[in-house]
Amino acid sequence: MKNKVLLTAAVTGAGDTVKKNPNVPVTPKEIAESAIASAKAGASVAHVHARDPETGGISHNVEHYREIVDRIRESETDVIINITSGGGGDFIPSLQTPAAGGDGTDIQTPEQRHEPVGELLPEMCTLDCGSTNFGNMIYMSPTDWLREQAKLVQESGVKPELECFDTGHIRFAKQLIHEGLVDGDPMFQFCLGIPWGAEADAETMMYMKNRLPEDAHWSAFGIGRMQFPMAAQAAQLGGNIRVGLEDNIYLSKGVLASNEQLVDKAVQQLSAHDMEPMSPQEARDYFKLRNPHGGK
């Protein structure tokens, strides 16, 4: 697969971006259509969160995920589906009762976080490999919870993408591998520039890359204005890339983007370095992903 790159489109996320960019998809139909448009523009993978169609906020409703997945699978456009399993990790301490969550806290058990993945069996899912300060809240994934989640993902036959928001997350991801909770060649995703995790710069990317197991595949993304600099850096270092409205809502300074525009820009950036995205089927074969219709 020389000069081929896995290109992921993270099409919506769960952040407060809907009011900032009208192109951010909200309903299951909009999210599926945006994933399909991204695939037509060259994305190998659609990374999917569900949103509440009424509020635009995060949704854990399996039926919302089911509609998204069904619409993508029933379309004539092929794309690998990567469902988040990181929902329900937001903890905001209450000043009155610090041991309890305050307004905005949204915590799910490992089983609840895994439910859309276990029900719908996408080719891939994310697995956030630790807790971190995330803006003014704590994203909470205790280690024993992650072990339980990793086991559930493993039993489902879905390929986990080991998301690392800080350097210690790589250490714990390697521990999961050591304990036999990740099958095959591991896939890592460096999540760079999140306040207050790992920096979005070349030095941090190299540091993280150099601490991976020898058989690991990896990808990286930066948020906001660092989306395309980090994509270029990752591709040149032999990694894979991710773009999309989950991480950045602008095509250029002051110009609001759509997902397909961000994917198209990434494809052009790759082309300038004689590289191109993998097709979804090339990626399934190369990374040994499950068949989207069941089985391996």
Side-chain angles (χ1 to χ4, degrees):
M1 299 301 292
K2 187 178 179 181
N3 296 332
K4 295 264 190 171
V5 172
L6 188 75
L7 172 53
T8 295
V11 297
T12 192
D16 184 22
T17 52
V18 175
K19 297 175 184 176
K20 300 173 183 177
N21 184 338
N23 295 320
V24 175
V26 172
T27 68
K29 181 174 184 287
E30 290 170 349
I31 293 167
E33 287 175 348
S34 195
I36 292 164
S38 297
K40 289 179 178 178
S44 322
V45 179
H47 173 53
V48 172
H49 289 248
R51 289 184 182 265
D52 185 316
E54 300 298 323
T55 68
I58 189 171
S59 171
H60 305 307
N61 188 327
V62 175
E63 295 311 310
H64 291 157
Y65 279 99
R66 191 184 310 280
E67 182 179 347
I68 294 166
V69 170
D70 286 349
R71 285 179 178 275
I72 294 171
R73 286 178 174 166
E74 291 168 3
S75 76
E76 296 180 357
T77 302
D78 190 22
V79 67
I80 291 167
I81 299 174
N82 177 338
I83 291 179
T84 183
S85 73
D90 300 348
F91 184 81
I92 302 173
S94 165
L95 292 177
Q96 289 72 36
T97 52
D103 290 344
T105 292
D106 178 21
I107 299 294
Q108 289 184 297
T109 66
E111 294 86 354
Q112 290 169 329
R113 295 183 193 192
H114 178 71
E115 189 177 4
V117 176
E119 281 277 327
L120 303 173
L121 299 178
E123 293 99 316
M124 298 173 65
C125 69
T126 56
L127 182 65
D128 299 336
C129 288
S131 303
T132 189
N133 283 336
F134 201 116
N136 194 39
M137 71 177 187
I138 299 168
Y139 178 78
M140 196 168 75
S141 276
T143 52
D144 282 351
W145 285 31
L146 282 167
R147 286 184 171 94
E148 189 173 343
Q149 252 191 292
K151 183 65 175 173
L152 291 168
V153 174
Q154 184 180 51
E155 290 171 350
S156 74
V158 174
K159 186 76 170 180
E161 185 178 55
L162 304 169
E163 288 206 323
C164 299
F165 292 81
D166 219 334
T167 54
H169 296 180
I170 293 179
R171 292 181 63 193
F172 186 68
K174 291 196 290 186
Q175 183 64 25
L176 290 176
I177 295 165
H178 175 74
E179 293 176 14
L181 293 171
V182 177
D183 292 333
D185 295 348
M187 299 181 72
F188 285 77
Q189 176 75 265
F190 306 157
C191 311
L192 305 177
I194 305 291
W196 301 102
E199 290 274 13
D201 58 30
E203 182 180 12
T204 302
M205 188 184 293
M206 280 297 300
Y207 178 93
M208 296 173 82
K209 174 184 181 294
N210 288 341
R211 277 149 183 80
L212 297 181
E214 287 187 4
D215 60 348
H217 306 287
W218 65 281
S219 178
F221 69 86
I223 67 167
R225 66 182 181 84
M226 295 306 293
Q227 182 163 89
F228 286 97
M230 290 298 95
Q233 185 76 41
Q236 290 170 35
L237 289 175
N240 300 294
I241 67 174
R242 168 172 141 174
V243 297
L245 293 176
E246 175 174 352
D247 308 320
N248 163 51
I249 61 173
Y250 292 101
L251 186 64
S252 58
K253 187 174 181 179
V255 179
L256 294 173
S258 67
N259 279 304
E260 57 267 36
Q261 288 174 325
L262 293 172
V263 171
D264 182 67
K265 184 173 178 177
V267 171
Q268 293 180 46
Q269 184 172 271
L270 290 172
S271 180
H273 296 280
D274 296 320
M275 305 173 83
E276 63 179 334
M278 296 180 185
S279 73
Q281 193 55 50
E282 286 174 335
R284 289 189 190 97
D285 294 340
Y286 184 72
F287 296 109
K288 298 181 176 60
L289 306 179
R290 67 177 300 121
N291 185 299
H293 302 294
K296 288 283 189 177

